[in-house]
Amino acid sequence: MRHGKKVNHLGRKSAHRKALMSNLAIALITHKRINTTLAKAKALRTFIEPLITKAKDNTTHSRRVVFSYLQNKDAITELFGPIAAKVGARPGGYVRVIKTGFRRGDASEMAMIELVDFNDVYQTGKTQQGGSSRRRRRRGGSGSSTTAATTTAAAATTAAATTASEEEE
């Protein structure tokens, strides 16, 4: 029985598992987004988040600690440079795991793991929204008028498109 054992061994011995996590972490730091199996992505999340936290304070000791895990100078430079600068204010949750379906060959559940601050798709929505980051229910005021105007404009565009398509037929 494996009661109380929180580490997913991934079907590997400890040295092989450490090498796998190191290589996946280097790839994630280098490319900012990788595709892998869901089990490996979840294990990588617990491996890399403490390293990113250590990278937030750029000291010789923290660089040596992170280097002992990764053994790659280019990845260390990238991690302590642009990545640490972007995640400086974030209190945690540096990576996002998104399920992408099943692999065709063996039906393994696949996932995409990415650094949160390096995805432009989600950040453009935040900058356009503006205002507070809290969500509230049924709140009237200035926010509802801009939403109503946007909805009205979208409805007018849709109506014009359907009218144009009916005229063509």
Side-chain angles (χ1 to χ4, degrees):
M1 286 184 270
R2 57 175 308 274
H3 296 304
K5 298 182 190 288
K6 296 187 178 177
V7 176
N8 187 349
H9 295 292
L10 300 172
R12 291 162 171 82
K13 301 284 185 183
S14 64
H16 188 185
R17 192 168 51 252
K18 287 176 187 172
L20 172 73
M21 287 297 114
S22 175
N23 289 334
L24 284 173
I26 291 167
L28 181 62
I29 290 167
T30 306
H31 301 294
K32 312 298 187 273
R33 176 185 301 158
I34 58 173
N35 292 313
T36 183
T37 63
L38 182 63
K40 288 177 189 173
K42 286 180 177 180
L44 179 61
R45 179 173 48 192
T46 62
F47 181 83
I48 200 165
E49 292 221 352
L51 300 182
I52 297 174
T53 302
K54 285 196 186 311
K56 287 165 82 170
D57 61 332
N58 190 0
T59 61
T60 305
H61 177 67
S62 61
R63 278 182 175 265
R64 287 178 176 168
V65 169
V66 173
F67 185 78
S68 71
Y69 284 93
L70 297 181
Q71 299 289 317
N72 188 313
K73 289 183 182 179
D74 296 330
I76 298 298
T77 306
E78 183 76 15
L79 182 62
F80 280 84
I83 294 175
K86 276 204 171 186
V87 302
R90 184 178 288 275
Y94 310 112
V95 295
R96 176 186 296 126
V97 176
I98 301 171
K99 295 179 183 180
T100 57
F102 296 92
R103 187 162 50 197
R104 186 173 178 166
D106 59 354
S108 294
E109 194 166 5
M110 300 299 288
M112 177 180 66
I113 183 168
E114 65 182 0
L115 293 171
V116 172
D117 291 319
F118 287 88
N119 190 338
D120 297 333
V121 174
Y122 292 110
Q123 289 182 354
T124 55
K126 283 186 178 178
T127 56
Q128 290 174 355
Q129 185 183 17
S132 82
S133 60
R134 293 180 58 198
R135 290 184 166 191
R136 297 188 178 126
R137 286 193 217 152
R138 298 201 179 253
R139 180 176 174 235
S142 62
S144 62
S145 64
T146 57
T147 308
T150 309
T151 308
T152 307
T157 308
T158 308
T162 51
T163 307
S165 64
E166 288 173 358
E167 289 176 0
E168 289 176 3
E169 294 175 359

